Amino acid sequence: MSVKILIADDHPLFRAAMCHALASVEHIELVETSTFPDTLTSLEENDDIDLLFLDLTMPGNEGLNGLAEVHALYPDVLVVVITAQEEPDVMAKSFALGASGFIPKSASVDCIIDAVNTVLDGETWIPPSVHNASATMPNATASNANGHSGQDDFTNRLKQLTPHQLKVLRMVSDGLLNKQIAYELAISESTVKQHVSAVLRKLGVINRTKAGIAFKNAMHLSLNGKR
């Protein structure tokens, strides 16, 4: 049985390196994209994609927004985050948003192959260097060492949102009014209000301002100049 993998990264050399690393995996078909909008298009056009390697800093992907959107739109696609950002907080947020693996761009070929096999077997893959760090493990507990229990809980709640609710929340976080959101999404203002109410209820926040701020914090990456 063949496996179809989408490599989404804006660096041609890195995509080439990934293709080379995966060449030894049997029965594999590779697809490549260089921007996040193209990635969404590819996922829509190829409903048989099993695994997505997603770069967190590719054009069109702001912070963890892309991961949240892909998980909402295509919950059956396994997503492995690939990034130069190796901080435990970034990994914890990625797993909370539904990632099945997290691969630093410094990873070896053997690590990449191991990650693919592990994720396709239904397991979660974590870099060996941080495997024992409880803060980066999926479903990290409220007592994690970084003390981000409130933010981790919010990030987990984001997975309850539908794709439309996630879009509305993103626009709310950008400061758009209901009528502006309605215009952008070509829906009625009444429908926007219903989405906002559902978002607040699912996220457990009291108003749209708090929801927007919490969303911005959850999606933010401190990239420190890394790509």
Side-chain angles (χ1 to χ4, degrees), residues 102-125:
F102 191 101
I103 300 181
K105 287 197 173 182
S106 59
S108 66
V109 171
D110 288 341
C111 279
I112 294 172
I113 294 175
D114 182 49
V116 171
N117 291 328
T118 299
V119 170
L120 290 177
D121 283 341
E123 303 293 332
T124 299
W125 194 90

Side-chain angles (χ1 to χ4, degrees), residues 10-50:
D10 61 317
H11 291 93
L13 290 178
F14 183 79
R15 293 201 308 273
M18 287 290 293
C19 290
H20 176 73
L22 296 171
S24 62
V25 180
E26 295 183 353
H27 308 297
I28 196 171
E29 180 181 351
L30 300 176
V31 181
E32 300 178 43
T33 56
S34 59
T35 69
F36 186 68
D38 286 347
T39 299
L40 291 180
T41 298
S42 185
L43 287 168
E44 183 179 356
E45 294 176 348
N46 298 273
D47 59 3
D48 55 346
I49 288 177
D50 302 290

Side-chain angles (χ1 to χ4, degrees), residues 4 22 34 86 164 166 199 201 227:
K4 197 166 188 176
L22 296 171
S34 59
E86 301 179 31
H164 279 105
L166 188 63
V199 167
R201 183 180 69 255
R227 286 285 294 156

Side-chain angles (χ1 to χ4, degrees), residues 171-172 176-185 192 208:
M171 292 180 176
V172 166
L176 272 67
L177 301 175
N178 284 352
K179 61 181 180 181
Q180 294 172 309
I181 296 174
Y183 176 79
E184 292 292 333
L185 298 181
V192 173
R208 59 192 292 142

